[in-house]
């Protein structure tokens, strides 16, 4: 489940027009209805794609929890998936069968359940959500299992030093308020929840007069309201013995917990707190110091803010953008561009009762944290004394406005905006007022709020000082022997139960064939381009691919590909780094270059009016980057710090170790950057890599959005048409991989970790393998959905050994791997591995059932249109299809390929692609 703690309350939606501030209404088409039982219904018709989101928001979160029950809202969220008296089945299986993009989250002020599906599944979702609003079954066995799952989740968060520091700082900032405690709870409180306490919490808060149903997407309002009233209208608002909703818990009521001095973390471990320390000055109110195992030093500074409805919120957000948003921001320039830190940023959040402003810095352990805290204060003091320039003010407003549009172009995000505004701010129209307020913010407003809220006497400073730093975590390799746990290999009954309890659906067969196809052409330079016009929002998404990935790194120089991509925006023959940064940030453009195993990707999004600025910038850096030495050295230092962080993260370390164990040293997929290889890379290495691999005849661009295709084609030809490559394209040699003769187990121990991450993998197939579609169906059955798969059913739900477990095929141009990933407590790791292997053996030997195949196919084909409804996903899918050598028709044909998969093909794929006796198993994390 998702857990929202430090996230902004303003989830926004696409704007109908961006030419004038007077048109920035997000809610003019929203219809509000209140049923007789108090249920609020918000509907918004959006006919840009054949999908719809159904969300249920309950006005209850961690702020409502009584003392000693921290985390009960989150615990109940987990139990809401365990089934109802009418449908005693894991609800994740029902939602997966509908092809829903489905999840839930708990925050300070609310708990929400959201599902996005093809439009023909809308009423089925209403039936399911109405059922679990009133009939969720909660018993002692389920509670015990989900307590273990929640504790596993919390311990997983504790693996992250940033989370541990944030938790300690927030307790100090809000010593007597629920916002000072973690949303997910503490292990101590979770362990003490009783069955009756959870049931009482459900009866008290999960009721129609404390809930909001939000429906956004492709539907007709009158028909939907009739269906909502039919399924929700008969639910009684008042439970026996109650006079109304809901129990009022005083928000300032945590003194008896001893929150403040003598802090403990979420797992009960002692932390350090110093008051009025000399090292940061006598004016310092609170300082929290954590000296624990970790990889990088951290600084966090937090200031209390007013609640979400306070009139200063808009000015505070503009101030935050000036201080922390983008490369040209003041704090980034002061800390990252100066070389003092590898990362720096901040965010402002405002909730129902209070808010806070947080600044954070990541740096090398050798840096002086007091000096960094002082630089932060100097940046703030300069703003307070000298104010901001018109250029900074306009840039911040442009970034904020563009972000509101670009991050919320899909119906799910539009539902989030309505839900957050209604449950936290008390009015679904809140963001309309907020946008109007942002447009009126002056430089004097920004200076005033900085002076009022960012004072040293109000701040709390947190420092994380790593005590154990090691380049290579301890490693153990050996053969795997099964533990004595017995796995009950019973026949899979879940698919039949899914069919029994799934609400009826009248399928709409036209949804698969109406997907528009992109136009494809090749520029004079040899660059391939794919364009798909989509006028549903005034935005454009640009994606690109260059076969210049980690696999292309020269011997002993691992990291060249990533350093090259990282330095593209550090200057060209006509613009320096700051000018390039301001060129995108002044318009709120998002532009990034990132490297993976097989290639480097271009990722960009912008308002459609700024496309004529975006394309020349991309063209300039791809053809004329200069790689200044000083910027290259700064990026090298950031890469070294990032590497230490990656080596301290169990999931990332496990992924790296799995690849380096699966693939021999001579294989290009074995290569990963090390501190030694990064230090050996010269500027000449980067320039040579750039000149060799960045070439038009190997570059592919895909664009989706509101543009004129002919004008864009002309602009692309103008910018890229004369780009030339002097040499023949380099070829990558990827040899075949042999399976190990028996299962190999590798342990990578990391100090200070509470949970371990285990990856189990073997060599598999590439994207064009004839078994690909059968493999997808097989994977969906095995672990494609952690709540609806065999692995999820057994390892998570039945045995309670993991917070999450899932599987996937890592396919590309070349053969990839089949991987199972899970997070476990140390004592549960070996039982989880043993049961997983037994399950794989069962599937390989006995096969899967026809019902499982039918359910998996229905889930995949139903979810595909939901995925393509987001323009970023659509653009990426178009690009990937071209990279893998597929036709443009694949955008439509994918569903037909899945529908054509037979039971025999899936079982044959299981025999050929699963290797339970020849796995590489990597566990990284806890030393226990």
């Amino acid at each position: 489940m998702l857990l929202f703690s430090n996230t902004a309350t303003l989830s926004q939606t696409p704007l109908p027009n961006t030419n004038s501030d007077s048109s920035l209404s997000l809610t003019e088409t929203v219809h509000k209805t209140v049923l007789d039982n108090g249920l609020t219904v918000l509907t918004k018709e959006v006919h840009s794609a054949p999908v719809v989101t159904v969300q249920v928001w309950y006005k209850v979160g961690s702020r409502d929890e009584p003392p000693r029950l921290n985390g009960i809202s989150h615990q109940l969220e987990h139990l809401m998936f365990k089934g109802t008296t009418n449908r005693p089945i894991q609800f994740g299986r029902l939602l997966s069968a509908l092809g829903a993009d489905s999840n839930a989250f708990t925050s300070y002020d609310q708990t929400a359940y959201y599902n996005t599906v093809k439009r023909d599944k809308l009423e089925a979702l209403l039936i399911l959500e109405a059922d679990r609003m009133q009939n969720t079954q909660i018993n002692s066995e389920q509670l015990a299992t989900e307590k273990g799952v929640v504790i596993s989740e919390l311990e997983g968060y504790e693996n992250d030093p940033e989370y541990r520091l944030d938790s300690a700082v927030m307790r100090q900032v809000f010593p007597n308020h629920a916002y000072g405690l973690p949303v997910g709870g503490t292990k101590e409180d979770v362990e003490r929840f009783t069955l009756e306490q959870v049931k009482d919490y459900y009866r008290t808060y999960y009721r129609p007069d404390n809930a909001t149903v939000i429906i956004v997407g492709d539907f007709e309002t009158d028909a939907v309201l009739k269906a909502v009233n039919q399924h929700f209208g008969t639910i009684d608002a008042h439970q026996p013995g109650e006079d109304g909703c809901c129990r009022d818990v005083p928000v300032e009521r945590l003194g008896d917990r001893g929150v403040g001095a003598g802090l403990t973390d979420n797992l009960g471990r002692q932390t350090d707190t110093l008051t009025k320390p000399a090292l940061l000055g006598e004016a310092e109110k609170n300082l929290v110091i954590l000296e624990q195992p970790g990889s990088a030093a951290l600084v966090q500074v937090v200031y209390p803010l007013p609640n979400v409805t306070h009139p200063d919120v808009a000015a505070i957000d503009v101030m935050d953008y000036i201080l922390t948003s983008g490369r040209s921001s003041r704090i980034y320039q002061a800390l990252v561009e100066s070389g003092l830190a590898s990362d720096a940023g901040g965010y402002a959040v405002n909730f129902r009762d209070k808010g806070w402003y947080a600044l954070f810095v990541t740096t090398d352990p050798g840096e002086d944290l007091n000096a960094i805290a002082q630089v932060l204060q100097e940046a703030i003091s300069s703003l307070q004394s000298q104010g901001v320039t018109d250029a900074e003010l306009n840039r911040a407003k442009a970034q904020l406005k563009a972000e509101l549009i670009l991050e919320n172009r899909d119906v799910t995000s539009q539902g989030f905006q309505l839900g957050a505004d209604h449950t936290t701010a008390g009015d679904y129209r809140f963001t309309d007022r907020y946008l109007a307020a942002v447009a009126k913010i002056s430089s004097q407003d920004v200076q005033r709020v900085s002076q009022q809220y960012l004072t040293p006497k109000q701040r709390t400073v947190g420092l994380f000082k790593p005590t154990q730093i090691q380049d290579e975590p301890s490693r153990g390799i050996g053969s795997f022997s099964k533990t004595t746990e017995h796995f009950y290999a019973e026949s899979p009954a879940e698919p039949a139960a899914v069919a029994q309890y799934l609400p009826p659906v009248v399928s709409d067969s036209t949804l698969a064939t109406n997907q528009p196809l992109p136009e494809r052409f090749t520029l004079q330079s040899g660059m391939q381009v794919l364009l798909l016009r989509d006028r549903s929002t005034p935005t454009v998404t640009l994606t690109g691919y260059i076969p210049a990935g980690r696999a292309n790194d020269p011997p002993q120089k691992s990291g060249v590909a990533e350093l090259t991509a990282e330095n593209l925006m550090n200057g060209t023959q006509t613009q320096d780094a700051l000018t390039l940064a301001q060129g995108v940030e002044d318009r709120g453009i998002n532009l990034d270059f990132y490297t993976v195993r097989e290639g480097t990707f271009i990722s960009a999004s912008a308002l459609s009016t700024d496309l004529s600025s975006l394309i020349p910038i991309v063209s300039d850096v791809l053809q004329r980057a200069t790689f200044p030495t000083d910027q290259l050295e700064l990026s090298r230092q950031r890469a070294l710090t990032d590497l230490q962080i990656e080596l301290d993260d169990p999931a990332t370390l496990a992924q790296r170790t799995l690849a380096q164990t699966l693939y021999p040293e001579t294989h290009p997929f074995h290569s990963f950057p090390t501190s030694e290889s990064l230090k050996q890379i010269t500027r000449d290495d980067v320039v040579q890599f750039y000149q060799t691999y960045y070439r038009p005849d190997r570059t592919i661009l895909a664009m989706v959005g509101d543009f004129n295709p002919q004008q864009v084609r002309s602009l692309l030809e103008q910018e890229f048409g004369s780009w030339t490559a002097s040499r023949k394209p380099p070829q990558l040699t990827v040899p075949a991989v042999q399976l190990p003769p028996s299962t190999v187990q590798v342990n990578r121990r990391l100090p200070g970790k509470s949970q371990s991450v285990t990856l189990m993998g073997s060599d598999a197939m590439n994207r064009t393998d004839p078994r690909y579609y059968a493999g997808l169906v097989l994977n969906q059955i095995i672990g494609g959905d952690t709540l609806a798969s065999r692995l999820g059913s057994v390892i998570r739900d039945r045995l309670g050994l993991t917070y999450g477990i899932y599987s996937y095929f890592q396919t590309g141009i070349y053969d990839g791997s089949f991987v199972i990933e899970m997070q476990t407590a140390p004592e549960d790791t070996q039982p989880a591995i043993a049961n997983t292997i037994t399950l794989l053996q069962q599937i390989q030997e006995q096969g899967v059932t026809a019902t499982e195949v039918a359910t998996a196919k229905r889930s995949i084909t139903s979810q595909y249109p939901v995925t393509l409804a987001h323009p970023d996903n659509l653009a990426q899918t178009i690009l990937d299809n071209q990279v893998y050598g597929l036709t443009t028709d694949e955008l439509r044909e994918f569903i037909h390929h899945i529908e054509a998969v037979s039971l025999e093909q899936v079982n044959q794929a299981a025999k050929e692609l699963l290797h339970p006796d020849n796995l590489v198993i990597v566990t990284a994390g806890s030393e226990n």
Side-chain angles (χ1 to χ4, degrees):
M1 312 300 168
L2 295 180
L3 190 69
F4 283 6
S5 53
N6 292 349
T7 54
T9 58
L10 298 176
S11 298
Q12 287 83 17
T13 181
L15 308 183
N17 188 304
T18 61
N19 294 325
S20 66
D21 291 331
S22 62
S23 66
L24 301 187
S25 173
L26 310 182
T27 59
E28 60 185 355
T29 61
V30 174
H31 186 92
K32 179 180 178 180
T33 305
V34 180
L35 304 187
D36 291 342
N37 59 7
L39 179 73
T40 298
V41 185
L42 301 177
T43 55
K44 181 179 182 181
E45 293 187 25
V46 178
H47 299 288
S48 57
V51 298
V52 61
T53 186
V54 174
Q55 304 178 7
V56 182
W57 290 61
Y58 295 94
K59 192 179 289 188
V60 59
S62 62
R63 76 171 292 280
D64 303 287
E65 295 165 353
R68 309 294 178 184
L69 292 181
N70 177 220
I72 195 170
S73 301
H74 178 228
Q75 181 72 77
L76 179 57
E77 176 216 310
H78 277 245
L79 291 166
M80 287 289 287
F81 285 85
K82 302 301 285 187
T84 67
T85 53
N86 297 328
R87 295 177 173 84
I89 182 176
Q90 163 62 256
F91 257 50
R93 295 173 199 144
L94 298 173
L95 298 170
S96 177
L98 293 174
D101 179 5
S102 175
N103 213 321
F105 68 82
T106 303
S107 187
Y108 295 99
D109 295 342
Q110 62 274 119
T111 305
Y113 303 81
Y114 60 94
N115 314 276
T116 304
V117 294
K118 292 188 341 186
R119 63 188 178 207
D120 56 350
K121 310 295 194 308
L122 191 161
E123 187 164 8
L125 287 180
L126 295 177
I127 293 171
L128 293 178
E129 291 295 355
D131 189 15
R132 64 175 172 177
M133 178 182 284
Q134 57 186 324
N135 299 317
T136 293
Q137 59 177 3
I138 304 171
N139 59 45
S140 56
E141 180 181 356
Q142 292 170 340
L143 179 58
T145 300
E146 286 303 315
K147 276 186 179 183
V149 171
V150 167
I151 290 171
S152 174
E153 181 180 358
L154 297 179
E155 290 179 335
Y157 297 144
E158 289 289 337
N159 279 349
D160 185 356
E162 291 184 15
Y163 178 83
R164 300 201 298 269
L165 180 62
D166 181 73
S167 297
V169 169
M170 292 304 295
R171 291 179 186 223
Q172 195 79 350
V173 174
F174 298 117
N176 300 308
H177 193 283
Y179 292 167
L181 295 176
V183 171
T186 62
K187 182 178 181 181
E188 179 185 16
D189 277 1
V190 170
E191 287 178 334
R192 70 159 58 100
F193 296 153
T194 68
L195 181 62
E196 189 51 43
Q197 285 172 330
V198 177
K199 285 184 173 181
D200 178 63
Y201 206 74
Y202 171 67
R203 289 191 296 263
T204 300
Y205 292 105
Y206 278 61
R207 43 195 292 169
D209 51 340
N210 195 47
T212 302
V213 172
I214 299 169
I215 307 170
V216 181
D218 193 15
F219 61 87
E220 298 298 328
T221 300
D222 291 343
V224 162
L225 288 177
K226 182 178 179 181
V228 171
N229 193 54
Q230 176 186 348
H231 301 299
F232 286 89
T234 58
I235 302 176
D236 188 6
H238 301 289
Q239 304 298 328
E242 296 181 359
D243 296 325
C245 189
C246 289
R247 182 184 297 133
D248 185 19
V249 178
V251 293
E252 302 285 353
R253 44 77 171 131
L254 299 181
D256 63 328
R257 294 176 185 257
V259 178
L263 298 177
T264 58
D265 64 17
N266 296 345
L267 302 179
R269 299 176 299 199
Q270 192 71 25
T271 65
D272 298 317
T273 303
L274 304 177
T275 304
K276 292 186 177 179
L279 73 166
L280 283 172
E282 290 299 323
E284 198 65 45
K285 178 182 178 182
N286 292 310
L287 176 68
V288 176
I289 301 176
L290 298 188
E291 295 184 347
Q292 297 175 355
S295 56
L298 307 172
V299 178
Q300 184 172 0
V301 181
V302 177
Y303 302 84
L305 292 178
N307 70 10
V308 66
T309 59
H310 194 280
D312 284 342
V313 164
I316 291 170
D317 284 350
V318 173
M319 174 196 72
D320 170 49
Y321 274 69
I322 292 171
L323 285 174
T324 70
S325 182
R327 188 170 189 167
S328 63
S329 65
R330 293 195 178 194
I331 286 177
Y332 192 95
Q333 285 289 312
L335 286 169
V336 181
E337 289 293 308
S338 68
L340 287 174
S342 62
D343 190 23
Y347 58 87
V349 293
N350 306 90
F351 288 108
R352 184 174 167 187
D353 299 324
K354 300 174 183 288
W356 60 90
Y357 185 53
L359 297 170
F360 58 86
V361 182
T362 303
T363 189
D364 186 89
E367 292 290 345
D368 184 346
L369 300 189
N370 297 322
I372 287 177
Q374 183 61 35
V375 171
L376 278 176
Q377 183 55 47
E378 289 172 357
I380 292 170
S381 298
S382 175
L383 190 153
Q384 291 170 331
S385 61
Q386 301 176 25
V388 301
T389 66
D390 289 343
E392 287 179 307
L393 182 67
N394 293 334
R395 182 180 306 128
K397 289 184 178 183
Q399 288 176 308
L400 195 155
K401 175 181 172 181
E403 186 174 320
L404 298 181
I405 303 169
L406 293 170
E407 289 190 352
N408 297 279
R409 291 168 286 170
D410 60 296
V411 296
T412 303
S413 297
Q414 295 181 49
F416 282 174
Q417 173 255 313
L418 294 173
D421 285 354
H422 184 70
T423 57
T424 293
D427 185 357
Y428 71 89
R429 298 163 296 188
F430 170 77
T431 300
D432 284 347
R433 300 198 307 271
Y434 169 82
L435 286 168
V438 166
K440 297 177 182 178
I441 297 300
S442 67
S443 58
Q444 291 77 18
D445 293 327
V446 175
Q447 186 176 20
R448 176 184 60 79
V449 295
S450 71
Q451 294 169 344
Q452 181 174 345
Y453 297 107
L454 306 188
T455 63
K457 67 179 181 179
Q458 293 177 305
R459 73 182 180 183
T460 297
V461 177
L463 306 179
F464 182 88
K465 299 181 177 181
T467 57
Q468 290 178 263
I469 307 167
Q470 45 191 356
D471 288 343
E472 289 295 328
S474 56
R475 176 185 181 117
I477 303 179
S479 61
F480 176 73
S481 60
K482 295 181 181 178
T483 60
T484 57
E485 286 76 10
H486 178 63
F487 172 70
Y488 295 93
E490 54 193 60
S491 60
E494 289 83 357
V498 168
Q500 177 183 353
Y501 295 118
L502 197 66
V505 173
V506 179
S507 181
D508 186 346
S509 60
T510 65
L511 298 183
T513 59
N514 289 341
Q515 172 62 52
L517 299 179
E519 171 192 4
R520 181 174 62 185
F521 56 89
T522 301
L523 299 180
Q524 183 178 351
S525 61
M527 177 188 289
Q528 299 177 67
V529 179
L530 298 103
L531 301 180
L532 181 59
R533 190 175 193 179
D534 175 8
R535 308 190 69 178
S536 60
T537 65
T539 65
V540 63
T541 297
L542 181 150
T543 61
Y545 176 83
I546 302 167
R550 289 196 310 269
N552 303 99
D553 282 340
Q556 312 304 318
K557 296 291 180 75
S558 295
V560 170
E562 291 176 83
L563 276 181
T564 303
E566 176 69 20
N567 279 271
L568 288 173
M569 291 290 289
N570 280 339
T572 68
Q573 296 170 12
T574 59
Q575 303 179 83
D576 61 17
L578 185 58
T579 303
L580 282 168
Q582 290 174 341
V584 297
E585 291 167 12
D586 285 351
R587 298 167 178 84
I589 294 172
N590 297 321
L591 175 59
D592 187 30
F593 301 86
Y594 63 93
T595 299
V596 296
R597 186 163 66 186
E598 293 184 352
T600 290
F601 283 94
I602 308 164
S603 175
S605 57
L607 301 182
S608 54
T609 51
D610 294 320
L611 182 58
S612 59
S613 299
L614 170 62
I615 290 178
I617 292 174
V618 173
S619 171
D620 196 19
V621 299
L622 289 184
Q623 299 181 64
R624 291 176 286 275
T626 53
F627 305 101
T629 302
D630 58 341
Q631 292 290 344
L632 180 61
E633 289 308 311
L634 286 175
S635 65
R636 187 202 311 273
Q637 292 306 311
R638 290 194 295 269
L640 288 167
T641 302
D642 291 344
L643 175 62
Q644 297 309 309
I645 295 173
E646 291 174 4
L647 293 176
D648 189 52
D649 174 61
T652 306
L653 178 61
Q655 291 165 0
R656 172 191 283 240
T657 305
L658 177 67
Q660 293 190 315
T661 309
L662 275 174
Y663 304 109
E665 291 186 10
T666 55
H667 196 286
F669 292 175
H670 182 91
S671 175
F672 284 86
T674 65
S675 57
E676 292 76 15
S677 69
L678 287 170
K679 291 174 184 177
Q680 293 177 14
I681 296 170
T682 67
R683 179 180 179 277
D684 288 343
D685 293 326
V686 172
V687 171
Q688 182 176 357
F689 188 90
Y690 175 71
Q691 293 174 344
T692 301
Y693 290 98
Y694 283 67
R695 46 190 301 141
D697 54 342
R698 303 296 299 278
T699 300
I700 304 171
L701 290 184
M703 294 175 57
V704 173
D706 184 15
F707 52 76
N708 183 304
Q710 285 301 115
Q711 292 177 355
V712 169
R713 183 167 185 165
S714 175
L715 180 59
L716 290 171
E717 193 66 63
Q718 174 184 324
E719 293 293 334
F720 293 100
S722 59
W723 188 10
T724 60
S726 57
R727 307 183 184 96
K728 290 184 178 180
Q731 300 297 320
L732 182 66
T733 301
V734 180
V737 176
Q738 300 297 319
L739 292 171
S742 61
T743 293
V744 175
Q745 187 162 13
V746 182
N747 296 318
R748 306 299 298 271
R749 299 178 179 89
L750 292 169
K753 305 304 179 186
S754 304
Q755 290 269 300
S756 295
V757 173
T758 296
L759 268 62
M760 309 169 65
S762 59
D763 189 54
M765 60 180 175
N766 60 45
R767 175 59 179 86
T768 57
D769 192 298
R771 301 168 296 182
Y772 176 76
Y773 302 102
L776 288 186
V777 176
L778 173 65
N779 180 70
Q780 183 71 15
I781 295 168
I782 295 174
D785 186 317
T786 197
L787 294 181
S789 61
R790 285 211 194 180
L791 285 174
S793 174
V794 173
I795 311 300
R796 184 193 188 279
D797 281 358
R798 191 179 308 165
L799 300 178
L801 296 175
T802 177
Y803 162 59
I805 183 169
Y806 55 93
S807 64
Y808 53 90
F809 281 100
Q810 191 176 36
T811 60
I813 299 173
Y814 307 99
D815 284 354
S817 52
F818 174 70
V819 180
I820 295 172
E821 183 169 350
M822 69 181 89
Q823 173 188 302
T824 57
E827 65 273 15
D828 293 331
T829 301
Q830 289 304 111
I833 291 172
N835 282 284
T836 298
I837 289 177
T838 305
L839 187 147
L840 291 178
Q841 290 171 334
Q842 176 195 6
I843 291 176
Q844 188 186 52
E845 295 168 2
Q846 302 176 20
V848 299
T849 68
T851 306
E852 284 182 299
V853 170
T855 302
K857 288 164 59 175
R858 183 170 62 245
S859 177
I860 295 171
T861 56
S862 295
Q863 194 167 28
Y864 185 68
V866 176
T867 301
L868 297 186
H870 195 295
D872 288 352
N873 296 334
L874 178 58
Q876 188 64 49
T877 302
I878 291 171
L879 177 69
D880 289 345
N881 289 343
Q882 183 67 20
V883 169
Y884 300 138
L886 306 174
T887 68
T888 55
D889 288 341
E890 176 68 13
L891 207 58
R892 288 180 182 168
E893 293 301 318
F894 174 84
I895 287 180
H896 302 309
H897 289 312
I898 295 295
E899 290 173 337
V901 170
S902 67
L903 172 64
E904 292 73 22
Q905 289 173 322
V906 174
N907 285 331
Q908 185 63 31
K911 292 181 184 297
E912 297 176 3
L913 297 174
L914 301 184
H915 305 284
D917 299 321
N918 308 91
L919 292 169
V920 172
I921 303 173
V922 176
T923 298
S926 174
E927 294 182 290
N928 297 328

